[in-house]
Each structure stands twice: as structure tokens, then as C-alpha cells.
Amino acid sequence: AHMPKISPKEALFYLNYGTRYPQVMNEIGSGSLKSRCLAACSDTHVLDELTNHLENNNGNTINATATAHRDNPTMVELYDNLEPKMKIQLLESSLVGARKSMADKERECGSRNERDRDVELSDRLMYERNGKKEGSSKVVVLGCGVA
């Protein structure tokens, strides 16, 4: 079954709430509340916000008790109120997500470089073999097909 998407702020709220009800956060599997919350907090925008917060505070957290009872705490305040073990799990999950994102970008760049190389090779083959001048129509060979 498809589970509803959790926003990063909601995820941090649930991760905080889960410390009072550990049976909910001890569920295992990709569809579990904990897994979905960790995934929601691995978003690039969320990572940027949390990283900026950590860099600006040199690891010092704001007064958790002062913000714990506010009606609408910020994402950073919710993060600061997490138990240390949950912060570690969140940061580990974010690290794995960042690595996957980098690998995806490298693959994307690699395929783009292959296409550029194919176009360049196609140009060279066509112009050298046919003696045509650049600017005339051309056929671009991409991988095993023709475009």
C-alpha cells in the first residue's frame, strides 16, 4: 500500500514524539513511520537548513526546554530537541541519502559526456568521410541508434 508522504517538519515532530512512544519508532521496514521520517529529513533542502544551523552554532544547540512547549516550533528547534541517538540516526540517514544523490549526479554527468562524445564522433566521421562542410545537415549517432 502507498503510504502518505511526510513533510520534513512533520517528520521531526514525529521523531520527537516517538521518544515518548518507542514502540511506534521501533517498527522495521521502508514503510515504517521512522523510515519515512528519516527519508523526509534527507531531502536536499532540509539538509542545507540543518547543515547551516550546525555550522552557525558550532554544534551548540539552542535551549531545548525554552522551545519544547512552543505552539509552532521551527524545523531547527525540532531537530535540537531530538534525543542524541535519534540525531545520529537522522544524520546517518542523511549521509547515505547524500551519497546516493552524488552517485546519481555522477551517472547523469557520465551519460551526458557519452552523448557529447557520440555527437563529436558522428560529426568527425560525417565531415571527414563525406567531405561536407560544417553547417550542412547531419546525422547524429547516439550509442546504438541514429537520431
Side-chain angles (χ1 to χ4, degrees):
H2 179 69
M3 301 298 281
K5 186 174 180 173
I6 299 175
S7 79
K9 188 172 178 182
E10 290 172 329
L12 288 168
F13 169 81
Y14 288 130
L15 291 172
N16 270 306
Y17 190 76
T19 59
R20 287 184 271 163
Y21 302 98
Q23 66 273 20
V24 175
M25 286 298 157
N26 287 335
E27 293 176 355
I28 299 173
S30 61
S32 72
L33 179 61
K34 183 177 181 179
S35 292
R36 292 184 301 131
C37 288
L38 292 173
C41 292
S42 295
D43 179 71
T44 306
H45 166 70
V46 178
L47 289 176
D48 287 344
E49 190 169 336
L50 290 177
T51 303
N52 288 337
H53 167 66
L54 293 171
E55 286 175 342
N56 293 335
N57 290 315
N58 295 323
N60 298 324
T61 58
I62 55 181
N63 185 349
T65 56
T67 60
H69 301 294
R70 284 195 30 205
D71 287 341
N72 191 17
T74 66
M75 215 166 55
V76 168
E77 291 168 342
L78 288 168
Y79 170 80
D80 283 340
N81 290 324
L82 286 175
E83 288 186 348
K85 184 178 178 183
M86 187 56 69
K87 283 183 181 179
I88 291 169
Q89 290 178 356
L90 174 64
L91 295 172
E92 286 175 345
S93 173
S94 299
L95 185 62
V96 169
R99 183 175 181 196
K100 287 179 182 175
S101 177
M102 285 177 56
D104 290 345
K105 287 184 192 281
E106 286 174 3
R107 272 195 299 281
E108 184 183 308
C109 266
S111 66
R112 192 175 315 126
N113 289 340
E114 287 176 18
R115 280 193 301 273
D116 292 346
R117 200 171 47 246
D118 286 346
V119 168
E120 185 181 324
L121 179 60
S122 178
D123 283 349
R124 235 183 311 140
L125 287 171
M126 183 174 164
Y127 297 133
E128 288 173 4
R129 291 207 175 136
N130 296 331
K132 293 189 177 191
K133 295 181 181 180
E134 291 194 39
S136 60
S137 63
K138 64 179 178 178
V139 174
V140 178
V141 178
L142 298 172
C144 61
V146 175

